């Protein structure tokens, strides 16, 4: 009997603690600032806002199911990117969900004064380096998001991570631990 009570108490404590220590807060709408371009307003309903994991960093994941809709929004999405901040090209983004195409705009906490230079101590192509700016992660699928059909701004660093294989996945394929 005491083992059962102890197990129930441990389970309840685990549920309460795991809920209290959630890393991200997710909203099923785009809660980006109202001073962003008005042309992005219709996209709020198909976007998600993910806040966290620390210091309330904001991530706005906008999914697209139609090429024309994406291409119409692209110039306006570029307007929210910080000057000098890069565009990261990826095959998939965890914030969009499996098999989703779109854009994730990563932003510092609300009210954060964006410095003129990115975080030092990180490689130029590291997303951590740009965490105190508004930078774009673009999920390229070749159909909805086709790099041959959109303009990538000159002078903007483009970091192509579409074909990057992390060392861990190589080790797993080779049977190492």
């Amino acid at each position: 009997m005491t083992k059962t009570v102890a197990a129930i108490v441990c389970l309840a404590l685990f549920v309460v603690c795991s809920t209290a220590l959630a890393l991200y807060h997710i909203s099923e709408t785009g809660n980006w600032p109202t001073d962003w371009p008005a042309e992005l307003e219709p996209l709020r309903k198909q976007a998600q806002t993910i806040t966290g994991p620390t210091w309330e960093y904001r991530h706005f994941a906008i999914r697209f199911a139609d090429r024309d809709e994406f291409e119409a929004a692209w110039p306006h999405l570029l307007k929210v990117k910080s000057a000098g901040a890069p565009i990261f090209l990826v095959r998939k983004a965890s914030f969009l969900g499996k098999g989703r195409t779109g854009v994730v705009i990563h932003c510092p906490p609300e009210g954060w004064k964006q410095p003129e230079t990115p975080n030092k101590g990180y490689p130029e192509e590291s997303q951590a380096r740009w965490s105190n700016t508004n930078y774009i992660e673009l999920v390229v699928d070749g159909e909805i998001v086709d790099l041959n059909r959109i303009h990538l701004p000159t002078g903007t660093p483009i970091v192509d991570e579409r074909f990057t294989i992390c060392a861990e996945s190589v080790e797993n394929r080779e049977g190492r631990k």
Side-chain angles (χ1 to χ4, degrees), residues 10 18 88 104 109 151 161 172:
C10 286
S18 63
F88 289 87
V104 180
H151 169 71
E161 295 181 342
N172 289 340

Side-chain angles (χ1 to χ4, degrees), residues 34-154:
T34 55
D35 62 350
W36 282 18
E39 294 83 358
L40 299 178
E41 285 301 313
L43 301 177
R44 284 188 190 270
K45 59 184 172 274
Q46 68 199 53
Q48 238 184 358
T49 301
I50 302 101
T51 307
T54 56
W55 296 345
E56 300 297 315
Y57 280 92
R58 300 165 297 153
H59 314 275
F60 304 104
I62 307 170
R63 297 176 203 88
F64 292 94
D66 177 72
R67 176 192 294 173
D68 293 332
E69 182 182 39
F70 167 73
E71 290 176 0
W74 179 242
H76 307 292
L77 292 165
L78 289 173
K79 292 176 186 175
V80 302
K81 183 183 77 60
S82 298
I87 297 172
F88 289 87
L89 306 177
V90 297
R91 283 189 291 176
K92 59 184 176 180
S94 58
F95 289 122
L96 285 173
K98 189 175 180 180
R100 300 286 179 98
T101 300
V103 175
V104 180
I105 303 169
H106 299 275
C107 302
E110 195 169 353
W112 185 282
K113 184 181 182 308
Q114 294 188 9
E116 293 181 21
T117 59
N119 292 334
K120 297 184 184 218
Y122 293 100
E124 189 73 21
E125 65 278 355
S126 165
Q127 289 191 18
R129 178 180 180 89
W130 300 98
S131 64
N132 58 4
T133 66
N134 293 352
Y135 69 93
I136 294 176
E137 189 175 10
L138 180 61
V139 181
V140 180
D141 68 347
E143 293 176 27
I144 295 169
V145 178
D146 182 352
L147 295 178
N148 293 317
R149 296 181 52 93
I150 63 170
H151 169 71
L152 294 175
T154 55

